Amino acid sequence: MTASTTGRLTSAVTPAAADILFDRHLRVPPDPVAGELRPTSEVDRAHVVMLTEQGVIGPETAARLLRGIEELRAADFAPLRHLPAPRGRYLAYEGHLVDTLGEETGGVLHSGRSRNDLNATVLRLRLRTPYDRLLAETDALGRVLVAQGRRWHTTVMPAYTHHQPAVPVTYGHYLAGVAAALVRDLDQLEHAGRELGENPLGAGATGGTTLPVDPARTTELLGFTAPLGNSLHAVASRDLVLRLLGACAVLGVLLTRTAHDFQSWTSAENPLLRLPDDLVGSSSMMPQKRNPFLLENIQGKAAAALGALTSATTAMSTARYTNAIAVGTEAVGHVWPALEATTDAVVLLRLMVEGAEPEEDTMLRRAAEGHTAATALAERLVVAGVPFRTAHHMVGEISTAALAGGRTFEETAAEHLADRSPGLLDALDPASVAAAAGAGGGPAPAAVLAALDEADRGLGALAAAADARRVHWESARRALDDAVSALIHRS
């Protein structure tokens, strides 16, 4: 026996889940100095190029300054790691450039700029990577939901209301419903992230600057889509963070509810889904256990954004509408762990949806035992001229009699409705009822496939927008590199 197996389980947890749950904290954490100063220096490069083009600083000075910045970037900011930073790393970084390049060169870097608009700009740059990863992983979950929905679109199961069998549907119909909600949530994430395209640079402390800065040029060089038109708004607002957290919180609700369903359907009492060994865990004491513990991790991680939203909103609400530490530092600090936790929850649910296999016989049996065809029988009586409430009462009595007599719903219905048209009871099994329920987006095969097609189109449109955004960012990065290189080699 190896450490990755137990007497009950034949494999360890799948590597993607193990990375999230067990391995990540063992890694060496990213260097905080480089993590803060690399996006800051990216803004600096664009700012220096723009100031040079606007004639605020000379090309020779710009070349020396850019060479100094490039040297720091190439060294991953190693010369700054042990410098004291009593007023923050940025001022230590700027001070280093002044000390090494001289006041006439290093001292021009901050012309027409404040830490206020710099911080607002850096936030947007830093958010790109975790935001893009969240969208990519959510898209991947959506693709799996669609694929599995197609695979199981005729696999009959009961839909549940109030934890009781309700009507016959299919597992694919359920997955299509989750996919439809996910596309809506992904669309809201995309909408919330549009503010990532707004460039605050040029706003200064709150009132702009008298220097002839060109926000349109830094917008182009940094991959934004438009400069912000009001300097107070640019530095006072971090509503972007609230919108992202709000969208994550709503997505988290869907993830949690789906995980709750999977918990119910993998229970020993109602085993509708079967999970492979690499998606469950054993017990340290009870050797017979197969615990679908990843579902609990999904629920815990999906709730992180709601807590972050509450904390960030509370912090922001204490500040006046101007630049404020409570807003730009304290409130913003909640977004990073929340984005990571939401992304982790998305990945874990994707693994579960991908690996879960329906117990088809059990699903069909539960649909039959739960009398899920009862509503369809009542509706057939309506077509035969019986008022719905009367039909509802009649079928309720049939269900009661079937349970009391230990007989099937169909057999009991045949006895109670023997004087009715024989066709009334044809194809009353759950599979036939589900296949006939196409109206209103029901579980009929054509309706399920149409819903999956719609979700697929929605995912495709959102993925195309994400691809265009990545191309735009990469194009801007190359343009900035070229502009910096041209200035450096010009002198």
Side-chain angles (χ1 to χ4, degrees):
M1 185 181 74
T2 68
S4 63
T5 64
T6 70
R8 184 73 169 91
L9 303 180
T10 60
S11 66
V13 172
T14 185
D19 178 70
I20 291 171
L21 302 178
F22 310 134
D23 300 338
R24 185 180 294 161
H25 73 284
L26 299 175
R27 299 178 194 157
V28 176
D31 174 37
V33 175
E36 178 180 336
L37 293 182
R38 186 158 293 277
T40 299
S41 66
E42 194 76 354
V43 177
D44 287 346
R45 298 164 85 222
H47 188 62
V48 171
V49 169
M50 179 274 296
L51 289 177
T52 307
E53 294 173 350
Q54 292 297 102
V56 176
I57 61 178
E60 294 79 10
T61 299
R64 289 192 297 272
L65 181 52
L66 287 171
R67 273 195 292 268
I69 293 172
E70 295 302 284
E71 288 172 3
L72 282 175
R73 287 166 61 89
D76 214 21
F77 305 93
L80 306 179
R81 285 206 178 87
H82 304 295
L83 288 181
R87 296 181 59 206
R89 289 194 183 99
Y90 173 75
L91 290 180
Y93 157 73
E94 185 183 22
H96 174 81
L97 291 173
V98 170
D99 291 342
T100 56
L101 302 176
E103 181 70 30
E104 295 300 318
T105 298
V108 304
L109 176 61
H110 212 49
S111 303
R113 199 178 67 187
S114 165
R115 274 195 295 177
N116 299 353
D117 60 336
L118 173 61
N119 288 342
T121 307
V122 168
L123 170 65
R124 284 163 165 79
L125 295 184
R126 287 185 62 200
L127 279 170
R128 285 179 182 176
T129 296
Y131 171 73
D132 187 61
R133 179 171 178 258
L134 173 58
L135 263 61
E137 293 293 357
T138 305
D139 173 77
L141 170 58
R143 305 283 177 179
V144 168
L145 286 165
V146 169
Q148 296 295 79
R150 294 190 198 285
R151 182 182 178 190
W152 307 112
H153 78 282
T154 59
T155 300
V156 178
M157 67 175 291
Y160 288 87
T161 61
H162 308 288
H163 296 272
Q164 305 301 313
V167 294
V169 294
T170 66
Y171 184 48
H173 179 260
Y174 172 83
L175 295 176
V178 177
L182 187 81
V183 171
R184 185 70 58 87
D185 290 348
L186 185 55
D187 180 66
Q188 291 302 303
L189 275 170
E190 196 276 337
H191 190 274
R194 291 178 192 176
E195 290 180 64
L196 286 174
E198 298 174 344
N199 180 17
L201 202 60
T206 57
T209 175
T210 60
L211 292 176
V213 300
D214 182 7
R217 180 57 170 151
T218 55
T219 292
E220 178 185 11
L221 292 172
L222 292 171
F224 292 112
T225 54
L228 280 164
N230 181 276
S231 59
L232 177 60
H233 174 214
V235 301
S237 174
R238 298 295 189 278
D239 290 353
L240 163 64
V241 167
L242 298 184
R243 280 185 246 284
L244 286 176
L245 289 175
C248 286
V250 174
L251 171 60
V253 171
L254 175 64
L255 303 176
T256 298
R257 295 178 72 184
T258 307
H260 182 74
D261 283 338
F262 273 50
Q263 275 188 312
S264 174
W265 299 341
T266 54
S267 68
E269 290 75 17
N270 194 33
L272 303 186
L273 293 176
R274 179 176 63 258
L275 295 174
D277 282 2
D278 65 355
L279 290 179
V280 298
S282 182
S283 164
S284 64
M285 183 177 185
M286 297 167 284
Q288 84 282 10
K289 296 294 293 298
R290 295 182 85 257
N291 299 325
F293 71 102
L294 298 182
L295 296 168
E296 297 177 52
N297 289 110
I298 292 169
Q299 292 169 327
K301 290 179 179 297
L306 178 58
L309 175 62
T310 302
S311 298
T313 303
T314 303
M316 289 191 193
S317 68
T318 65
R320 297 175 66 184
Y321 194 70
T322 184
N323 181 71
I325 289 174
V327 175
T329 301
E330 298 301 329
V332 164
H334 296 286
V335 74
W336 313 110
L339 285 173
E340 181 176 69
T342 304
T343 304
D344 288 347
V346 168
V347 172
L348 293 175
L349 184 59
R350 173 178 59 77
L351 295 172
M352 299 302 286
V353 173
E354 207 165 31
E357 297 274 338
E359 296 280 9
E360 297 183 66
D361 292 342
T362 304
M363 283 183 165
L364 184 59
R365 185 176 67 253
R366 291 297 298 122
E369 292 171 349
H371 298 182
T372 58
T375 302
L377 178 57
E379 290 174 344
R380 292 182 186 185
L381 288 169
V382 169
V383 173
V386 179
F388 176 75
R389 194 51 59 197
T390 302
H392 186 279
H393 185 79
M394 291 170 61
V395 175
E397 289 182 336
I398 291 171
S399 180
T400 299
L403 292 171
R407 304 186 69 190
T408 69
F409 176 76
E410 291 88 341
E411 290 172 340
T412 310
E415 291 179 356
H416 281 65
L417 301 174
D419 59 338
R420 298 276 176 174
S421 167
L424 187 72
L425 301 176
D426 290 348
L428 196 59
D429 61 286
S432 298
V433 171
V448 173
L449 292 175
L452 291 166
D453 287 343
E454 183 179 358
D456 200 28
R457 287 191 295 272
L459 291 170
L462 290 166
D467 288 341
R469 190 164 46 244
R470 295 181 197 111
V471 169
H472 181 66
W473 289 342
E474 177 59 22
S475 176
R477 186 194 64 77
R478 290 196 302 266
L480 178 55
D481 285 347
D482 291 344
V484 168
S485 178
L487 270 176
I488 288 176
H489 293 99
R490 173 180 170 184
S491 60

